Amino acid sequence: MAALFVSSLTACGGQGGDQGDGEQEDSGGGPVKVVATYSILGDLVENVGGEEIELTTLVGADSDAHTFEPAPADNAKLAEAAVVFENGLEFETWLDELYESSGSEAERVAVTRDIDPLAAPEEEHGEEEGHEGEEEHGEADPHAWHDVSRAMVMVEAVRDALVEADPDNAEAYRANAKEYLSELEELDAEVTERAESVPEENRVLFTSHDTFGYFAERYGFEVDTALASVSTEASDPSAGETAALIREIEAAGVPAIFTENVSNSDLMSRVASEASVDLAPTLYTDALGKPDSEGGTYVKMMRYNASTVADALSG
Ligand code: ZN
């Protein structure tokens, strides 16, 4: 129980003086234990934390954070952590309860705290929890990472939280973050360039689960939410609804519609074929792909999404 020494030893004072609850940091001088709630955020955290942290990600590759059900082992992960990184904006509706039941004293850091959020799309999230029930999700759209410039603000939040939690390694966190942020700046330019290659009249995204609000705002697309009713989070649309969808896609005149890696695409595929448009290769939305896939990291995922969208809509 010999805690509370860590923060007072830093030369630059000020930092963490009132941090007080530093018990987790004193676990034998090993890397600081950190939890990230979902895979995309885990990748951002890992790029900043590097070898100084021991990272556990709760919702893994190709898994849906919206419908995640924590297992007993997740309690232990939270209980051991010094810092828990979460997206915030009510993306992780299960986290409050898990955090509380774990007895964790970890610092919770909502990495979107400094971004300017967009309003949530209307037909999103939580519908599977009871259609008539009160809306579970917040008023803000949580999918901020699809705008690389906002992801950069998230990375800065990660950096600042790690510096505060583990001031001994502040220099490493700052250096890692600096390098990663410059990589993201290039990525943002690259995505912008791919987006600009799409003919303007084709810059419409029909997707099954409405995650592309930030992408659309940053890179100049329009999101058509008609297909949200085909999302696996909702029940299957009726024949009449499906026919209306098909007419809407035809009227838009786009060459392709999109599906994502955390949902079932059978119905989307049927709708695409009936509307005589392509179903583009699956986009990565709320989770990374498996490590060796084209969506294995945040940078790869964004690059893949941008070129998939550009290729599909230029056709
Ligand atoms: Zn989502």
Side-chain angles (χ1 to χ4, degrees), residues 2 30 38 64 70 77 92 138 157 221 236 252 262 264 274-275:
Y38 64 109
D64 190 349
K77 292 171 188 165
E92 303 96 339
F221 289 81
D236 283 1
V262 295
N264 180 335
E274 287 182 33

Side-chain angles (χ1 to χ4, degrees), residues 66 91 124-125 143 209 211 286:
H66 296 297
F91 184 59
E124 256 248 281
H125 305 330
H143 307 95
H209 167 77
T211 62
D286 292 18

